[in-house]
Amino acid sequence: MLSIQNLHASIEDKEILRGLTLDVKAGEVHAIMGPNGSGKSTLSYVLAGKDDYEVTAGSASLDGQDLFALEPDERAAAGLFLAFQYPLEIPGVATMTFLKTALNAQRRARGEAELPTPAFIKLVREKADGLGISTDMLKRGLNVGFSGGEKKRNEVLQMALLEPKLCVLDETDSGLDIDALKVVAEGVNALRAQDRSFVVITHYQRLLDHIRPDVVHVMSKGRIVRTGGPELAHELEARGYADYISDEAA
Amino acid sequence: MNAEVRPIRTAAETGLIDAFERARSAQAGGEAARAIREEAFSGVVARGLPNRRVEEWKYTDLRALMREAQPIAEGATEADVSAARSLLPLQEVDALRLVFVNGAFAELLSAIDAPQGVTITPFAHALQSDARAALTLAGAPQGDAAVALNTAFVTSGVTITVAAGTKVARPIHIANVQTGPGHAAYGRVLVTIGEGAEATLIESFSGDSGGHQVNSTVGLTLGDDSKATLIKLQDEGFGTLHLATLAATLGARAELKTVALTAGAAASRQQIYLGFKGAKATADLTGAGFAGARRHLDTTLVVEHDAVGCTSRETFKTALDGEARSVFQGKIVVRPGAQKTDGKMMAKALLLSEGAEADAKPELEIFADDVVCGHGATVGALDDELLFYLMSRGLPKVEAEALLVQAFVGEVLESIEIEPLREALVARSERWLVARD
């Protein structure tokens, strides 16, 4: 599904990713944990194609397609979805309008017919209900006046609608209380499928109690430094990241 | 012989002088009108067309923009009226409709079954009955070049009077269509809304791509406790020079709302002179503008608070592409004694290209001490973070930009209550976002 080889990336000439290699097979959930500043968010932005970052070496492909040859919208159409750590507010763009524009843009890019409005509305209602997103929220400006939890649920709603192959969740747990975390996690779990993979980036283990990973990676100083099973997350929770920071510094 | 330095006349100035010579003998209104026109025109001749050295026209150099004076339109032929039919916008809006083709009233395209309490008469009648009232655009600077040229040449237009207490349900649409070889068209609309009356006016300007010169003036008088909404669509052909002046005076507790969508013309300038004459009146002036290529778009307004407790809001938003240029000059004046004035003015320009340029000159002149006034102006590009967010959801860059620009101007157009009208203007802005012309 996702294959990243020896990825190097910088921002303003400062190298953040330094030889990152990662393979995610179809249907798997991989967690990437690591201390602040290890490059976790950079990885998600580089994959999604934010142009502040420069890829200086290495490759990333999604089902064999070279991600770095694609614009951000083309990556989305190819099946990549990034759930933002801080979803942006766009006043004046109704959430419903945004969802419809996004879904139809992707359908067009894949050569599929646009979804007629009644069918679209039915689909959104269905998915929104499960996430506790009200009709009123859908009418409001995108993320405007949404609480932190509502913004994250709205990200999951987009994910559910767009049905990506690979979902990258960037610190989705940040700013969420335990109830909000459960709703978001349930939404994500409902999307788990044989042909869909997840990369869950998080600083804390608690999200992984709700979204159970198959593989856990520890990231430090721009590369994966250790890989293990779910038990690795618990070990990190107990011992912290100090080992990885000092190991690297040594 | 004298040693006075006289500026060399431009072709346009010479052309205007010739046109005035030819027009004056045939113009209606008798001696009184002739004297007023003469005075207005001689001022323009003496000063020449305004250029960048004239403060009010610093950013819109009319002398440079107006290379020649087009001949005055001589009415509309049957073929013109027929061509105008397809150039007439907003036909889906249910309205009383007055259509002017090349400056001449086109009865064939109009629907003027005026309801009880509404009087609609040709401007020529106003000229005959009281030339001074008809030719003085109350509240506007009479010496301003656009106003003075209109005063000198205008013969067509309409006078609308809404009787006290009359609430007009259907909007009144005054459509101006230009078609055929390049010509100059001058129009004047004089509207009086009686005490406690309510009305909605729609003005539209459209036409083919000929090099027309359109000069429009609107005089709007709102009686005490009256309410008026004025919605303007300027969608002239891209060869046209469009000059428009709105002069409005508000009585006590009157409410005025204006919404303008500027999408056409090679160069356009909308002047608004608004005066508060009675206490506790409110005015909400808004505009959205789009320009691409090398088009020029100027909004110049003066809001004069001359009464206690009045509120004014001015919100103007412009999106520019190519090498287009927008100008916003806005001044709020608070006269001594106009205490408890609440005035806020905001101009925002969005630059979608490296070559686009926006100039903003907001000013406050306050001579009273118990007022709340503010102004702001922003010029900037679209937010990269927002663009990336939208693109990461699959929107191609052009679509993402279009969505953000729609959101930017949305505030202005969304406030239009008449749904088919709002939809027509939103659709017009969507077309611009595809063409960026």
Side-chain angles (χ1 to χ4, degrees):
Chain A
M1 174 75 64
L2 175 69
S3 172
I4 302 173
Q5 298 298 323
N6 187 33
L7 180 59
H8 290 255
S10 347
I11 184 164
E12 288 164 0
D13 292 330
K14 183 167 186 266
E15 189 167 57
I16 309 286
L17 298 183
R18 294 187 275 188
L20 186 136
T21 295
L22 176 69
D23 266 294
V24 179
K25 293 195 178 65
E28 285 181 349
V29 176
H30 286 229
I32 297 183
M33 302 184 72
N36 290 328
S38 58
K40 303 190 299 293
S41 284
T42 297
L43 173 63
S44 68
Y45 282 142
V46 167
L47 289 176
K50 196 164 199 264
D51 64 6
D52 304 354
Y53 298 92
E54 194 193 350
V55 174
T56 50
S59 67
S61 66
L62 182 63
D63 275 347
Q65 237 183 320
D66 176 9
L67 285 176
F68 300 148
L70 304 175
E71 290 296 319
D73 55 308
E74 294 168 328
R75 298 184 197 194
L80 177 71
F81 183 94
L82 169 63
F84 280 56
Q85 181 177 6
Y86 303 109
L88 287 99
E89 296 185 11
I90 311 189
V93 176
T95 304
M96 202 69 164
T97 308
F98 159 72
L99 293 173
K100 188 163 184 265
T101 312
L103 182 62
N104 281 331
Q106 292 208 16
R107 291 178 72 101
R108 271 202 315 279
R110 295 191 206 113
E112 298 164 18
E114 292 191 6
L115 207 58
T117 304
F120 169 77
I121 290 174
K122 187 165 173 283
L123 182 68
V124 174
R125 287 275 154 76
E126 211 177 276
K127 310 260 187 203
D129 277 353
L131 289 159
I133 293 174
S134 67
T135 309
D136 175 59
M137 281 169 68
L138 294 172
K139 283 185 190 158
R140 268 191 270 161
L142 183 59
N143 291 328
V144 176
F146 286 24
S147 69
E150 287 171 334
K151 285 180 185 174
K152 296 295 169 74
R153 275 186 271 155
N154 198 16
E155 293 288 287
V156 179
L157 172 63
Q158 293 165 41
M159 200 190 290
L161 272 178
L162 300 172
E163 300 184 318
K165 286 185 209 166
L166 174 72
C167 306
V168 180
L169 277 63
D170 185 10
E171 310 244 7
T172 292
D173 50 333
S174 72
L176 294 189
D177 61 31
I178 191 68
D179 294 328
L181 184 68
K182 274 184 186 162
V183 176
V184 168
E186 276 166 25
V188 171
N189 286 330
L191 293 172
R192 289 181 73 156
Q194 293 272 308
D195 53 357
R196 181 172 295 134
S197 310
F198 291 82
V199 173
V200 180
I201 292 171
T202 181
H203 189 79
Y204 302 104
Q205 184 263 334
R206 67 169 191 169
L207 177 66
L208 305 180
D209 285 342
H210 301 280
I211 303 173
R212 304 284 300 167
D214 300 303
V215 184
V216 175
H217 307 275
V218 180
M219 189 167 169
S220 178
K221 306 273 170 89
R223 63 172 76 99
I224 304 281
V225 292
R226 198 174 155 197
T227 296
E231 72 288 348
L232 179 54
H234 291 279
E235 183 191 317
L236 287 167
E237 188 71 4
R239 299 185 51 182
Y241 292 110
D243 294 353
Y244 300 96
I245 299 169
S246 54
D247 277 3
E248 285 294 306
Chain B
M1 293 287 287
N2 62 49
E4 217 175 284
V5 179
R6 273 185 50 193
I8 297 165
R9 291 214 168 98
T10 65
E13 287 162 354
T14 309
L16 285 169
I17 291 167
D18 291 347
F20 190 66
E21 278 306 315
R22 279 196 303 278
R24 60 198 298 182
S25 55
Q27 286 172 336
E31 257 328 296
R34 198 158 300 156
I36 297 165
R37 293 185 194 274
E38 194 81 45
E39 189 192 335
F41 192 71
S42 63
V44 178
V45 172
R47 290 184 292 271
L49 288 170
N51 54 59
R52 72 186 74 150
R53 285 190 297 275
V54 177
E55 184 60 22
E56 292 82 4
W57 292 80
K58 184 176 171 186
Y59 301 101
T60 299
D61 186 331
L62 191 60
R63 185 181 285 176
L65 287 169
M66 199 170 157
R67 297 236 174 76
E68 53 181 339
Q70 295 287 18
I72 311 283
E74 289 177 3
T77 63
E78 233 173 87
D80 290 335
V81 172
S82 164
R85 196 182 288 275
S86 63
L87 295 166
L88 178 62
L90 310 177
Q91 295 185 56
E92 64 274 39
V93 179
D94 177 40
L96 296 176
R97 193 162 277 119
L98 300 152
V99 182
F100 293 85
V101 178
N102 298 351
F105 180 64
E107 195 170 359
L108 197 62
L109 302 177
S110 301
I112 45 168
D113 41 346
Q116 192 79 34
V118 180
T119 313
I120 300 176
T121 52
F123 177 69
H125 291 189
L127 265 181
Q128 299 290 0
S129 63
D130 186 349
R132 180 153 295 278
L135 289 177
T136 306
L137 192 66
Q142 305 303 311
D144 172 77
V147 174
L149 283 173
N150 187 279
T151 298
F153 286 103
V154 69
T155 55
S156 88
V158 64
T159 304
I160 300 171
T161 308
V162 180
T166 304
K167 296 189 163 66
V168 192
R170 289 171 82 198
I172 302 167
H173 176 192
I174 300 148
N176 302 275
V177 185
Q178 314 305 329
T179 179
H183 59 250
Y186 295 87
R188 183 164 294 192
V189 176
L190 298 173
V191 183
T192 307
I193 313 282
E195 261 185 52
E198 291 180 17
T200 297
L201 298 155
I202 304 168
E203 268 194 291
S204 69
F205 292 85
S206 59
D208 60 26
S209 55
H212 309 299
Q213 293 170 344
V214 175
N215 183 323
S216 139
T217 47
V218 177
L220 184 56
T221 308
L222 269 69
D224 293 350
D225 301 293
S226 69
K227 258 186 180 176
T229 304
L230 175 62
I231 293 161
K232 174 177 172 177
L233 168 64
Q234 191 273 85
D235 196 13
E236 306 265 23
F238 286 158
T240 296
L241 171 65
H242 177 95
L243 300 176
T245 306
L246 165 66
T249 53
L250 275 65
R253 298 167 304 278
E255 291 175 29
L256 172 65
K257 176 169 178 63
T258 69
V259 183
L261 174 62
T262 303
S268 70
R269 173 165 163 121
Q270 173 71 58
Q271 310 188 122
I272 300 177
Y273 300 97
L274 184 136
F276 287 103
K277 300 298 177 197
K280 294 187 175 169
T282 61
D284 186 11
L285 311 178
T286 64
F290 296 105
R294 297 181 61 87
R295 295 176 44 228
H296 182 99
L297 190 167
D298 176 334
T299 302
T300 292
L301 57 95
V302 180
V303 174
E304 199 164 317
H305 285 263
D306 202 3
V308 173
C310 295
T311 302
S312 74
R313 293 286 178 273
E314 295 82 33
T315 311
F316 287 82
K317 294 188 166 186
T318 315
L320 303 168
D321 201 0
E323 292 171 67
R325 185 171 186 202
S326 77
V327 175
F328 176 84
Q329 304 184 98
K331 188 194 278 188
I332 297 178
V333 182
V334 182
R335 293 277 167 227
Q339 301 294 12
K340 306 287 179 193
T341 286
D342 178 354
K344 279 191 190 67
M345 181 164 62
M346 177 55 82
K348 291 184 176 177
L350 199 49
L351 306 181
L352 301 173
S353 65
E354 291 283 320
E357 181 182 328
D359 296 293
K361 196 178 82 174
E363 291 175 279
L364 296 175
E365 273 181 18
I366 300 174
F367 302 101
D369 56 9
D370 183 14
V371 302
V372 180
C373 280
H375 65 65
T378 64
V379 176
L382 284 174
D383 186 325
D384 284 339
E385 301 284 329
L386 296 182
L387 271 177
F388 172 64
Y389 187 53
L390 293 177
M391 288 179 75
S392 79
R393 297 303 179 248
L395 274 69
K397 189 165 188 204
V398 179
E399 259 183 78
E401 287 182 345
L403 203 59
L404 292 176
V405 178
Q406 277 291 7
F408 171 74
V409 299
E411 175 189 1
V412 171
L413 300 181
E414 293 300 321
S415 70
I416 298 171
E417 285 171 13
I418 302 166
E419 199 175 323
L421 181 58
R422 181 180 65 239
E423 282 172 2
L425 298 193
V426 168
R428 179 64 190 91
S429 55
E430 282 168 356
R431 283 209 305 285
W432 186 83
L433 286 164
V434 174
R436 303 268 190 100
D437 50 4

